[in-house]
Amino acid sequence: FGRMKPVIVVHGGAGRIFKEREEGSRAGVVRAALRGYGVLKQGGSALDAVEEAVRSMEDDPHFNAGCGSVLNEKGEVEMDAIIMDGKTLDSGAVSAVKCIANPIKLARLVMEKTKHMLLTDHGAHLFAQAMGIPETPGEKLITERSRERWKKNLEPDSNPEEFQKDLGTVGAVAIDSEGNVACATSTGGLSNKLIGRVGDTACIGSGGYADNRSGATSTTGHGESIMKVVLARLILYHMEQGMSPEMAADTALDYMKTRVGGLGGVIVVNSSGEWAARFSTKQMSWATVKDDQLHCGIYTGERHTKSVDEALASESEGF
């Protein structure tokens, strides 16, 4: 054991990242990647690493997950999340959950404490209570920005589609020193969505998939399009056919674009620790750590690299 070099990759959502939010998105994915890598470095599991990374982004109001989630048509936050273990193919997910700070934690509990894979809405709420998860008042999860956007979308001449380009689902994939892979994805969904709308995130094979035999992936973008092509599983299928993570990601994203006109982004790690962060949208914030090197970017072709020590130092100075 201990043969594999651990790798973590995170994304903070594909779409259009407005200029004033760029710094925050970048800092947020870097922080999440460093936290996840910290878990892996100490010999922690890929599952713990992806949960930790996603939790970090749920707590960051820059992202559409946890605190900072967008609002549904009624002005409420309804969140979806999934986590998956590549070793056993066990998975846990929650959909349309309200009033909890970290849906990814609840998804992990669904996986480990129930015989089920997906709990929704009221049932998920009862389960959270049974597990002793504190309730967070809905208002606490709502940012000024989400409320502004919700109001804008209510105007008769508004075009919510315009805003959907700035999506911000969050996700992570990892491989640990024992060669186990895992994925985690969490989102507030689409702004002004119908009550009870569940997108790709909570759906196994769409929002994420992990299998030690091939790798792990987490997706972001237009949920309905991702569901139509079962994007996460499609990428792993391409890797099973011998494609590299980058090639598999591009091929699947290209298929989604030509077949159903959908745009999105994905992060991938394969069973030998090769990784990719690819997107067909204008932007996607992403970060990865491998071999004690941190890489990150937002624009196509952009990639900054520094050592983890350097990144941790500037992290403690607060960027």
Side-chain angles (χ1 to χ4, degrees):
F1 289 111
R3 281 185 303 271
M4 227 24 248
K5 279 186 176 158
V7 182
I8 184 145
V9 195
V10 306
H11 71 72
R16 188 181 53 190
I17 297 161
F18 297 110
K19 266 278 176 270
E20 74 274 8
R21 305 182 55 73
E22 231 174 73
E23 236 2 83
S25 297
R26 206 183 286 276
V29 288
V30 165
R31 185 179 306 119
L34 289 171
R35 284 199 181 163
Y37 192 65
V39 171
L40 295 170
K41 263 315 244 195
Q42 289 158 11
S45 68
L47 266 178
D48 287 343
V50 295
E51 182 186 354
E52 179 57 36
V54 166
R55 204 174 57 79
S56 161
M57 291 184 285
E58 285 177 340
D59 292 343
D60 185 330
H62 282 94
F63 302 109
N64 173 17
C67 175
S69 288
V70 298
L71 312 185
N72 66 13
E73 55 176 358
K74 237 178 83 182
E76 297 176 335
V77 165
E78 285 187 320
M79 302 165 290
D80 304 333
I82 193 167
I83 192 165
M84 185 166 182
D85 180 354
K87 188 179 183 176
T88 55
L89 303 189
D90 281 335
S91 176
V94 292
S95 66
V97 296
K98 300 180 190 73
C99 303
I100 60 165
N102 297 109
I104 200 65
K105 264 175 122 154
L106 190 57
R108 175 87 184 256
L109 288 168
V110 170
M111 176 172 85
E112 292 181 345
K113 305 287 184 200
T114 78
K115 292 191 171 87
H116 308 309
M117 288 171 91
L118 171 61
L119 290 181
T120 192
D121 197 358
H122 183 58
H125 175 72
L126 293 175
F127 176 66
Q129 280 181 326
M131 290 289 119
I133 289 190
E135 207 169 302
T136 305
E139 296 69 65
K140 272 233 163 100
L141 299 173
I142 297 176
T143 57
E144 198 41 53
R145 174 169 172 266
S146 296
R147 197 181 293 286
E148 280 306 299
R149 176 199 272 192
W150 173 70
K151 280 192 192 134
K152 259 204 178 96
N153 285 344
L154 288 180
E155 290 165 13
D157 55 353
S158 83
N159 175 14
E161 290 306 301
E162 225 352 83
F163 283 97
Q164 300 314 3
K165 297 196 176 86
D166 176 25
L167 288 167
T169 295
V170 306
V173 296
I175 187 165
D176 59 32
S177 56
E178 297 194 357
N180 292 316
V181 299
C183 70
T185 314
S186 180
T187 189
L190 292 179
S191 189
N192 298 63
K193 62 189 177 180
L194 294 181
I195 291 166
R197 179 262 187 186
V198 177
D200 64 294
T201 300
C203 301
I204 189 171
S206 293
Y209 202 82
D211 183 349
N212 279 5
R213 293 181 183 180
S214 45
T217 179
S218 167
T219 68
T220 167
H222 185 246
E224 280 69 15
S225 299
I226 290 170
M227 291 159 96
K228 287 174 187 174
V229 302
V230 197
L231 186 62
R233 191 67 191 83
L234 182 59
I235 291 165
L236 292 196
Y237 165 78
H238 287 316
M239 293 202 299
E240 286 158 6
Q241 305 301 304
M243 282 188 193
S244 68
E246 191 160 305
M247 186 74 188
D250 287 350
T251 304
L253 283 168
D254 192 50
Y255 175 71
M256 183 167 85
K257 193 172 175 178
T258 52
R259 186 69 179 87
V260 297
L263 301 179
V266 299
I267 49 173
V268 191
V269 65
N270 71 7
S271 51
S272 46
E274 298 173 297
W275 62 274
R278 309 293 290 173
F279 47 100
S280 52
T281 51
K282 274 216 169 63
Q283 291 143 291
M284 178 178 82
S285 53
W286 63 271
T288 182
V289 185
K290 180 181 182 174
D291 286 329
D292 289 314
Q293 291 289 304
L294 168 85
H295 310 275
C296 66
I298 286 186
Y299 294 92
T300 306
E302 177 196 8
R303 181 158 158 190
H304 303 280
T305 303
K306 52 175 151 182
S307 76
V308 165
D309 293 340
E310 211 182 320
L312 284 169
S314 56
E315 177 71 356
S316 55
E317 288 155 28
F319 271 79

